[in-house]
Amino acid sequence: MTRPTRRRVGRSRLSIALLACGACLATASCTTGGEKDAPVAGPAAPPPVPTTPSAGARPGTLPLDSHFLSREDHRKLRSALDLLVAACMKRAGVPLPPAPEVTAEPPQHERRYGISSPDQAARYGYHVAERTTPPTPPPVTARQQRALSGTPDGRPGPGGSPPEGCNAAAARKITGTASFPADALVVRQLNMDSFEQSKNDARVRTVLRKWSDCMKAGGFSHTGPLDAPRAMAAGPRASAREVATARADIACKDRTRLIGVWSAVETAYQHRLIKERAKELAAARREQDDRLRRATEVLRSSASSS
């Protein structure tokens, strides 16, 4: 819950998961011959926050968001992969039925700093709001599964399907590897780093203490907004105590400006990380552009042949 996974929408026939800081002191070694010791580098100063966080803030966009795959790009990649897998399975004589549509997921930062919606807290406490149950994928036979997943002995699968399986073969045409396209590793890592750095920032620690004091004054003892739901959201539905706690949680967030402060501080850390890792992020963007170009070619070729 501390690092929400980016959820996507798109049409997918495959059940494959897509590939949640303190600063170090650099010590100087002693020298001989009367030379002075090299200066010791201290930790980087916390980045400044140029804006004044407001009360009642809801999690918004973060600087790294633009480095993740957009919903449109994700949909394009999944559609191209679906076409390639379907063609591979058809050639093997074990075609798959059409896959159901995947429903939309909640906003990407909805619970990054704990619950943030007063309406959701009043209705569901810390439980996730009721959503439409995703459609059940059509069943896959053992022969279809072997064609999808490949064979352990390196021999062609059913109907002459690739030894590595139609899933991996399709992925290879988009990514150049057997791995399906996902958000770049450096982007995902920086997203986690910025969260941890901001959580340990003195400005966030201060507002977290204020939030905890506010909760305690209302009769609720929790050290932080990410700890509160762990012991309460396990049951099938929210209890009266859970709802009361969640409503107090939201009220204390507003009173202490917790979400606004935390989001502003993390935004500053992300800006700094983006600047520090600019070359890696640029390389990741080029790789994603190449994959999207290949996906576009697959979709264009399919459209022209249909």
Side-chain angles (χ1 to χ4, degrees), residues 44-257:
V49 175
T51 60
T52 301
S54 61
R58 297 288 296 276
T61 59
L62 290 169
L64 275 171
D65 290 351
S66 62
H67 293 270
F68 283 94
L69 284 166
S70 68
R71 290 181 179 229
E72 179 183 352
D73 288 344
H74 178 79
R75 187 180 295 110
K76 178 182 292 186
L77 288 165
R78 299 302 302 184
S79 296
L81 288 165
D82 279 352
L83 286 171
L84 291 170
V85 171
C88 177
M89 295 292 285
K90 185 176 180 180
R91 288 193 299 271
V94 283
L96 292 171
E101 293 290 331
V102 177
T103 56
E105 296 290 346
Q108 65 192 56
H109 300 313
E110 182 181 6
R111 296 195 174 199
R112 191 172 183 90
Y113 313 116
I115 58 173
S116 58
S117 168
D119 292 339
Q120 295 289 317
R123 295 183 63 189
Y124 304 107
Y126 291 105
H127 281 65
V128 176
E130 297 174 0
R131 293 188 174 92
T132 303
T133 303
T136 302
V140 177
T141 66
R143 182 177 174 83
Q144 287 173 326
Q145 187 59 55
R146 288 197 302 274
L148 284 170
S149 304
T151 57
D153 56 9
R155 297 180 181 179
S161 55
E164 64 181 342
C166 287
N167 281 346
R172 197 173 296 282
K173 291 183 179 180
I174 302 296
T175 68
T177 71
S179 299
F180 274 59
D183 291 304
L185 177 60
V186 64
V187 178
R188 289 180 279 135
Q189 184 62 57
L190 295 183
N191 187 52
M192 292 188 290
D193 289 348
S194 69
F195 181 87
E196 292 299 324
Q197 290 174 354
S198 64
K199 185 174 70 172
N200 294 319
D201 186 278
R203 292 162 292 191
V204 173
R205 291 201 306 269
T206 295
V207 78
L208 287 173
R209 284 195 298 270
K210 291 179 178 179
W211 176 92
S212 182
D213 290 343
C214 175
M215 291 290 285
K216 188 176 296 184
F220 306 97
S221 180
H222 295 284
T223 57
L226 302 178
D227 301 324
R230 292 178 183 172
M232 308 193 78
R237 59 182 58 85
S239 65
R241 176 68 176 176
E242 179 184 339
V243 169
T245 305
R247 295 180 71 173
D249 182 344
I250 295 291
C252 287
K253 281 190 173 84
D254 289 349
R255 191 168 303 158
T256 60
R257 304 174 186 254

Side-chain angles (χ1 to χ4, degrees), residues 257-306:
R257 304 174 186 254
L258 185 147
I259 292 178
V261 170
W262 198 340
S263 178
V265 170
E266 184 169 16
T267 293
Y269 277 103
Q270 286 202 1
H271 278 308
R272 185 161 75 182
L273 288 169
I274 289 171
K275 183 177 180 180
E276 292 173 349
R277 307 288 287 277
K279 290 184 178 179
E280 293 170 75
L281 289 169
R285 177 64 60 85
R286 289 193 295 271
E287 183 178 74
Q288 293 289 32
D289 288 344
D290 287 342
R291 293 176 175 184
L292 287 166
R293 176 181 51 78
R294 297 185 196 113
T296 299
E297 291 172 356
V298 169
L299 296 172
R300 184 182 297 122
S301 175
S302 174
S304 61
S305 61
S306 60

